[in-house]
Structures are given as C-alpha cells and as structure tokens.
Amino acid sequence: MTTPPATTESATSQSSTAATEKGLPLLETDVLVVGAGPTGLMAALVLSRRGVPALVIDAKAGPTRESRAIVVQARSMEIYDQLGLAQEVIDGAVAAEGMQIRAESASGGLLSSASGVDIERMQQGQTPFPGVQVFEQSRNEELLARVLADEGRPVLWRHALESLDAPSGSPVEALVSSPDGPLRIRARWCIGADGASSTVRHELGLPFDGVTDDATFCVADLHGVTGLPDKSLAARFGDEKFAVLFPLGPGGHVRLIWLHGDEHPEQESALAEARADLDIDYDRVDWFSTYRVHHRIAPRFRQGAAFLAGDAGHVHSPLGGQGMNTGLQDAHHLAHLLADVTSGRCTEAALDRYDSERRPVATTLITATDRAFGLVARPGRGTAFLRRRARDVMAELAPRLLSTRLGPYVGGLLGQYRIRYHPVPAEAPVPQWATDPAVGLRLPPTAENAEALRAMSWQLHTYGADAGRPIDVPTWVDGPLHFSPDPQARLRTDRLYLVRPDGYVAASLPVHAGSSAVYEVRAALAAYDVIA
C-alpha cells in the first residue's frame, strides 16, 4: 500500500495514471477513514503513530466551528497523554473539578461548590488527570487535524463519500467527490466515523435501532453569567426545566444546555424562558443552537472490511459528557487492532474484538443515559417536581456518599477508566491468567509507567516481581519492564503482566521461581490471536 500524498492536489495528479475501469483517478491506502470529527482524527493519528498509512476524508471545508460535545474525561486525557498531547489539551482547556448541584441555600445565599460532587477528589490517585477538561469538540478537531498535517497526513477536506463497496476479504472501494472531480479510493479497511447520519453505515445497509426523544435540547454560549463557582460544572433545576452549565472561560463565559418542550424553539423565546425558569442571568449570547436527542445503536460495529466508530455506531443523550469520549476511545481501540493486524502481530480474527469489546460499552452507556434522561432531563411539571426533590436530597447526600469508597468507583465510571474488557466469552471458564482483577482493565497508572505506555507496543511489566522473559513470547513484545511495587496494591508483586498497546492489561501470569508457566503464556497469547 502507498502512503497518502501530502495534499489533495498532489493526490489527484500523482494518481492520474492509475485509473480504474471507470477511468477515474485512484488513491490507495491501508485504511480509509470517513469523517474528520474527533473520532476519525483520533483513529488516523493512532494509525500514523503505529506506522499504518491512513487517509481521512470529510465533506466539510475544515474542522467544525460549532460543537455540542464539550468535555474531555480522564481516560481520554490518558489517551492524549499516550500521544504526547495531554499538555496541549490542558493548556487550552478550562478545568472543572466538580459539579454544583444546588445554587442557593434556604436563606437565599449562594452555597459553596462543596454542595455538590467533587469529581477531582473522587478520581485523585486513580488517574493522572482527575477532574474534567472543558475542551470543545472544535478544539479537539483543530488539535488532531493540525498534528496529522504536521506529520504529513493532512485531511482531505471537501471530499465526500458517494458510495462504498466493502466485501469481506476484499479491498474496500470508495467513490468520492472532490473539488477536482470524482475519484476512487482503494483501501484494505474502512472506518466509518461520519456521525449519526453515517453514509458508511447506510452503504453497509445496517439499521440504527433506537428512539428519538420528543423534547429538544437547546445550547447557548453565554457571557456574564453569575453564581457559578470557579472550576465547576453546575446543575440547575427549575419549575419546568433542567440545565447544565459548563465553564468556558473568565467573565462568566459558560455553555448552557437545557431541554425545551417545543420542537423548534426560537432563540429569544427559549432564552427568555430559561432565564426566568432557571434563574440564570447573562450579558450576551455568542451562539445558540437546538437539536433532538437520539438513543440509537447499530447491530454490529464491523461488517466485512468496514467498521463503525463514534456516533456512526451509537448515539445517546449528552448527559454525563460521555459521547465524544466514547468515540475517541472507539478510535483508539480500533486503530491499535488494525495496526497489530497490519504489522503481522495478530491474525485478522483479532479485529472481532472491536465489536465484542466496544459495543457492550456503547450499549451500557445508551441504557444508562436513557434512564438518566427520563429521570432528570425531560420537561414538564411532574418530572420537575421529582427533580427538585432529588436535587435537595442529592445536594445533602452526594458529597457524603462520594467521600466513601463509592466515590472512586463512581469517579472511574464517569472518567471511563473503569471500563472492563472480558478476555474470554462470558460463558467460558475463566483461565488462570485472567483471574487477576487487573485483567481487562486499563493498566493502573503509576509514577513510573507513563513513559513506557507512550511506546504503543505490546509489553511485559512487573511491579516488584523478579521475572524473566517467557520463552514463547514474540520478540516484538517489549520487556519485561520492571517497576516499583504499586503503592495502592492494584498490581501484584508476584505477577508478570502482559499489556496491550492501548494500555489494557491482557493477562496476569503467575511468577514461579522467576518464570511463568509455558502453557499459560501460550494460552494468553492465543486468546488475543497473537501470532507467536
């Protein structure tokens, strides 16, 4: 396969001699990524770092300017750190350490931010990036697209997918319209990261089962908002409406997201109702938009040589700030699998893990957000009454409950670093190498292992153990890398850990007299379709 050319113009001119039977210019690459949102860009960047040629196309003229997704959770920050980009996100983001639940006390005075959820405290010690980074979708796209361009793999903007042929076991053939006319792209695989109205999904003939909610979300970027604690999200409960505020910058610059009862609300009337019902004051409006909420999922995330990622495969309520993060993690997961197969380290059967591991994550998220949506977000006086009662209880009990052992657990779910992948099917017996609780979770970060994870390679780790390298481990697996014991005892001192390139623990191998049992090493590698 050839590396994608540096520019659209050169792509067309260099490929003009390689025409298909239809006489159209032909581009060839290993992976065609359709859609240059955060999901598609993340997939392309991880593939680039793993040495796999990928070509990103998008019908837009450039990165989006208006965005609905707004927060980057802890696990996504860990992925950015693996790419060496975490500091750039932090420098451009507004940090939110918690969420205020109730704005006013019974006497009318403002409560402190302690009258809510301290997200940073819940996640402290569990991730290098506790709390939430408010970093809009547009800024994620600008960062990832710029880095891709700097690495010689720019997005082909104004290139729209017209048709796709993705049979199993054959190259993908795509017909694409471009500013220079139609062209064809041939790739080994295709990633559909082109949003909820995905052309890739339609071309594959996959349904998008689920529902569209009756209510409409309103989104507004406001200046001069008062009553919001520093470095905090805030929930607002009105007589009719529920809203969440996200800090965007100084001077009361916030994003307000709330549910409106009308299908097509006008900006002035919607803002006037929100101001009155939610008791929110502001000076001016930068941007206003509306959209309907969908809860939908494709029946599978892989069909032949094509895959769905992000909103192309699953959409849900924005409650919890999980959507963009789930797409980023879809992309990170899938790109590493494709790189392992391309490099000859895993068989193509390993690609089935994308659907078996990531689709349950999306299903659980859709179920959870749909329930939360029904309980707290829908408009109406009956629901509003229950919300206000829940608000008062939550404001009192949430800080207390989340200061117990429940806090780190909830913090891990919110930050998405507690997602577990099961190494064997649910109905199968759990092998000895998978009984360690660390297996299937992302490797707990320590003060010493961050740099090793940036290598994006299969690795062997020990944390206080004296273990040699098992004889059946392929030469391209790094290690054993020896680290100090985990101070939180999440990683055992008598184990040799097999770590995947995405940072997840693949296996925990008991160490006996400095070595691991050969049969367990072979069984673990076989379970992940590793070519030994």
Side-chain angles (χ1 to χ4, degrees):
M1 297 292 181
T2 58
T3 300
T7 65
T8 304
E9 291 75 19
S10 64
T12 304
S13 62
Q14 289 179 12
S15 62
S16 60
T17 58
T20 67
E21 65 276 11
K22 295 184 179 180
L24 297 178
L26 174 67
L27 302 181
E28 292 188 278
T29 187
D30 274 7
V31 184
L32 169 63
V33 181
V34 182
T39 299
L41 294 170
M42 175 61 75
L45 184 55
V46 174
L47 288 166
S48 175
R49 296 289 176 85
R50 294 286 308 270
V52 179
L55 187 61
V56 185
I57 64 171
D58 198 294
K60 302 193 304 291
T64 185
R65 296 182 180 275
E66 298 178 351
S67 60
R68 296 169 185 167
I70 196 168
V71 300
V72 179
Q73 301 284 4
R75 176 55 188 162
S76 298
M77 287 299 300
E78 293 175 1
I79 291 172
Y80 271 123
D81 186 57
Q82 189 182 45
L83 294 165
L85 300 175
Q87 192 59 51
E88 288 198 52
V89 175
I90 291 171
D91 290 344
V94 176
E97 300 169 354
M99 171 174 276
Q100 183 193 64
I101 294 177
R102 186 172 59 193
E104 294 184 356
S105 66
S107 60
L110 285 175
L111 290 170
S112 70
S113 58
S115 64
V117 178
D118 189 337
I119 300 172
E120 187 173 77
R121 182 178 179 182
M122 290 158 50
Q123 298 177 342
Q124 199 72 49
Q126 303 300 315
T127 173
F129 305 98
V132 169
Q133 300 296 326
V134 180
F135 193 67
E136 299 172 72
Q137 177 180 329
S138 57
R139 305 190 74 175
N140 282 270
E141 292 183 16
E142 289 166 1
L143 171 60
L144 293 168
R146 173 175 56 78
V147 174
L148 272 172
D150 290 345
E151 297 185 5
R153 302 190 184 280
V155 175
L156 299 187
W157 300 108
R158 296 190 178 91
H159 283 61
L161 178 68
E162 300 296 334
S163 64
L164 180 72
D165 184 18
S168 178
S170 301
V172 172
E173 293 278 352
L175 177 63
V176 175
S177 61
S178 80
D180 298 321
L183 58 87
R184 297 184 72 83
I185 299 176
R186 180 179 296 151
R188 186 173 178 183
W189 294 292
C190 173
I191 299 176
D194 47 344
S197 299
S198 171
T199 301
V200 172
R201 191 184 65 247
H202 285 295
E203 287 293 300
L204 296 175
L206 292 174
F208 209 30
D209 296 329
V211 298
T212 300
D213 199 81
D214 295 335
T216 300
F217 262 105
C218 294
V219 185
D221 284 357
L222 309 174
H223 288 267
V225 176
T226 58
L228 183 66
D230 291 338
K231 296 185 177 181
S232 180
L233 312 176
R236 290 290 183 267
F237 301 78
D239 291 334
E240 293 282 350
K241 306 181 189 307
F242 170 80
V244 180
L245 294 90
F246 300 84
L248 296 180
H253 186 197
V254 306
R255 173 162 297 179
L256 175 67
I257 302 179
W258 75 101
L259 268 174
H260 197 282
D262 297 338
E263 187 171 347
H264 301 291
E266 296 293 333
Q267 174 176 330
E268 293 305 319
S269 61
L271 283 169
E273 290 182 24
R275 184 197 293 265
D277 188 50
L278 299 168
D279 195 24
I280 293 172
D281 198 18
Y282 59 89
D283 294 334
R284 75 173 195 272
V285 183
D286 267 356
W287 172 66
F288 174 86
S289 185
T290 64
Y291 60 96
R292 301 286 294 279
V293 175
H294 305 269
H295 304 265
R296 299 183 181 277
I297 190 167
R300 54 190 173 276
F301 289 177
R302 180 189 183 189
Q303 180 160 303
F307 303 83
L308 300 177
D311 286 355
H314 50 86
V315 293
H316 50 81
S317 164
L319 286 176
Q322 303 291 299
M324 179 173 65
N325 294 274
T326 306
L328 289 170
Q329 292 167 51
D330 285 350
H332 183 253
H333 183 286
L334 176 57
H336 279 301
L337 283 172
L338 290 172
D340 282 339
V341 173
T342 300
S343 63
R345 295 176 176 179
C346 294
T347 68
E348 287 207 21
L351 298 176
D352 291 336
R353 297 194 75 86
Y354 174 64
D355 187 84
S356 66
E357 292 184 345
R358 291 303 300 174
R359 194 172 182 279
V361 172
T363 302
T364 299
L365 188 59
I366 288 171
T367 301
T369 57
D370 186 41
R371 288 175 179 171
F373 188 87
L375 288 172
V376 305
R378 288 189 175 90
R381 290 190 175 274
T383 310
F385 175 79
L386 295 176
R387 280 199 303 264
R388 290 195 299 276
R389 300 288 76 77
R391 172 200 64 188
D392 296 335
V393 172
M394 289 169 59
E396 296 297 330
L397 292 184
R400 300 178 188 177
L401 290 175
L402 296 177
S403 64
T404 67
R405 291 184 179 181
L406 182 63
Y409 177 78
V410 173
L413 296 179
L414 180 65
Q416 293 199 357
Y417 53 81
R418 285 197 62 88
I419 290 171
R420 181 183 293 277
Y421 302 141
H422 296 285
V424 295
E427 63 276 9
V430 179
Q432 180 64 30
W433 53 264
T435 56
D436 189 327
V439 175
L441 292 172
R442 70 88 162 91
L443 183 74
T446 71
E448 299 175 1
N449 64 17
E451 190 59 39
L453 291 175
R454 294 189 184 108
M456 294 188 176
S457 61
W458 285 83
Q459 300 174 2
L460 292 167
H461 287 202
T462 66
Y463 292 84
D466 181 17
R469 183 182 179 88
I471 58 174
D472 282 348
V473 171
T475 57
W476 42 263
V477 177
D478 296 337
L481 306 177
H482 302 291
F483 301 102
S484 301
D486 178 12
Q488 298 187 46
R490 296 164 297 183
L491 300 166
R492 293 175 54 170
T493 58
D494 61 346
R495 296 290 173 130
L496 179 65
Y497 289 98
L498 178 64
V499 182
R500 307 187 327 190
D502 62 358
Y504 273 76
V505 178
S508 172
L509 304 166
V511 175
H512 306 286
S515 63
S516 297
V518 172
Y519 74 93
E520 290 199 17
V521 174
R522 290 176 177 171
L525 295 174
Y528 289 93
D529 301 292
V530 170
I531 299 174

